[in-house]
Amino acid sequence: MQQFEMLEHAHFCPAADNDIVLIFSGRKILVYRENDKFRFPHAKEVAFQTDSKLLKFGHIGEYNCLTGEIGIQQNNSLESLDLREVMQFTSPAEAASANRARQLLYWLREHQFCGVCGNKTEQSDHETAKVCPECGEVSFPRVSPAVITAITKGDQMLLAHNRKFKKGLYSLVAGFVEAGESLEQAVAREIKEEVGVEVKNIKYFGSQGWPFPHSLMVGFTAEYADGEITPDGKEIVEAQWFDVDKLPYLPSSTSISRKIIDSVIEKLSPAE
Ligand SMILES: [Zn+2]
């Protein structure tokens, strides 16, 4: 299967006819509908203004991938859908390209001016970076690490309902890493803060870039050590131990939280 490969030096250029174009409007991305299937359109399928320059940031097989936030006339074949939904039904390569594209566009928007001296920044001519022509400050795309952990106790797993979740949805405890903190410290602190329990045997599971808006989700598993479940009431409104054969409504399979949950289920379920 073809994979998405990123370009070391993302840069602006006009799109050629066959280039894949990832056109965003906030969290929505333009998709091309073909026989009830969706894919990202090629430039020739989208009417551009002739002077539109897009950010070339990688390729899938022989096709370059370009992205931008520009107004496009939608029609019967072209429509804008929420990126979270789109990532569930596109190919892994397309999902990976959209993940990077969305993060690069947030970065471009948030780094138009130098954070040190306030002058307008320019695109670097040799790497994916914004450079200040006045003071030389270089700004790379922002990545915000966050930890997400499956806590187990015997054959039960702790799942929590966050205020921002859809009704009935439960997931793992997660939170951003603080400056100066190790990942393991972040795991223990977030769990203590959000659900009031202490954990031991914190083990790395895997990681995933997540473009809402620029997270790097770092997954862990941990075992319950001490304490009573006490939701913080701010982010977490409910949390409880679930038997792995009686789980609630869970996040979609594209998310790392679901991948961790599934691996824990597999480990804890009795062999058939
Ligand atoms: Zn500057």
Side-chain angles (χ1 to χ4, degrees):
M1 194 189 280
Q2 283 186 327
Q3 291 194 337
F4 166 70
E5 285 181 52
M6 71 173 73
L7 211 58
E8 202 177 316
H9 173 216
H11 59 278
F12 284 94
C13 60
D17 278 357
N18 283 330
D19 290 347
I20 296 171
V21 289
L22 291 85
I23 306 299
F24 285 90
S25 170
R27 277 190 177 185
K28 290 194 162 180
I29 184 166
L30 197 71
V31 291
Y32 190 87
R33 184 198 288 269
E34 195 174 44
N35 306 324
D36 283 337
K37 283 199 171 162
F38 293 98
R39 60 171 169 78
F40 299 138
H42 293 281
K44 63 188 171 196
E45 294 160 339
V46 178
F48 284 111
Q49 301 230 317
T50 46
D51 58 349
S52 296
K53 281 194 175 170
L54 298 177
L55 187 73
K56 187 191 278 191
F57 66 99
H59 60 94
I60 298 173
E62 65 189 283
Y63 300 106
N64 290 316
C65 298
L66 284 76
T67 188
E69 286 189 273
I70 51 175
I72 295 289
Q73 200 75 38
Q74 295 184 28
N75 57 40
N76 286 341
S77 303
L78 290 172
E79 60 181 295
S80 277
L81 297 179
D82 189 282
L83 179 59
R84 279 177 198 264
E85 287 172 41
V86 170
M87 285 172 76
Q88 290 176 42
F89 54 69
T90 52
S91 69
E94 283 182 304
S97 68
N99 188 336
R100 179 150 175 84
R102 183 59 275 179
Q103 298 201 43
L104 291 177
L105 294 177
Y106 281 131
W107 163 66
L108 290 176
R109 192 164 71 190
E110 292 167 355
H111 290 79
Q112 298 177 57
F113 297 92
C114 175
V116 177
C117 75
N119 272 286
K120 203 160 172 48
T121 56
E122 295 173 355
Q123 260 340 90
S124 162
D125 59 10
H126 65 281
E127 58 186 349
T128 305
K130 298 273 271 180
V131 184
C132 173
E134 287 299 314
C135 75
E137 175 74 5
V138 182
S139 310
F140 296 100
R142 174 145 57 135
V143 178
S144 306
V147 290
I148 180 159
T149 312
I151 309 158
T152 55
K153 180 169 134 186
D155 54 6
Q156 292 187 309
M157 179 165 26
L158 195 157
L159 295 169
H161 178 75
N162 189 300
R163 192 180 288 284
K164 291 186 225 152
F165 287 175
K166 284 184 190 161
K167 192 166 183 275
L169 178 77
Y170 280 75
S171 187
L172 304 177
V173 175
F176 286 104
V177 179
E178 292 287 341
E181 194 175 43
S182 73
L183 295 170
E184 291 81 0
Q185 285 168 337
V187 167
R189 177 185 51 76
E190 280 291 343
I191 292 170
K192 182 78 182 161
E193 279 175 11
E194 294 193 351
V195 293
V197 302
E198 282 168 33
V199 293
K200 59 185 180 182
N201 293 336
I202 297 168
K203 290 207 172 78
Y204 177 67
F205 173 86
S207 65
Q208 180 182 56
W210 195 239
F212 306 103
H214 34 62
S215 301
L216 170 63
M217 303 300 297
V218 189
F220 290 88
T221 57
E223 288 170 27
Y224 168 82
D226 199 17
E228 285 291 316
I229 293 180
T230 317
D232 68 4
K234 289 180 281 180
E235 286 189 54
I236 303 298
V237 286
E238 211 198 318
Q240 54 180 289
W241 296 107
F242 286 90
D243 292 331
V244 291
D245 57 355
K246 284 186 208 132
L247 292 171
Y249 169 40
L250 298 170
S252 84
S253 56
T254 50
S255 65
I256 190 165
S257 62
R258 182 57 177 273
K259 287 171 189 151
I260 306 171
I261 292 169
D262 286 348
S263 95
V264 170
I265 294 171
E266 199 174 310
K267 216 163 154 189
L268 296 184
S269 297
E272 291 183 13

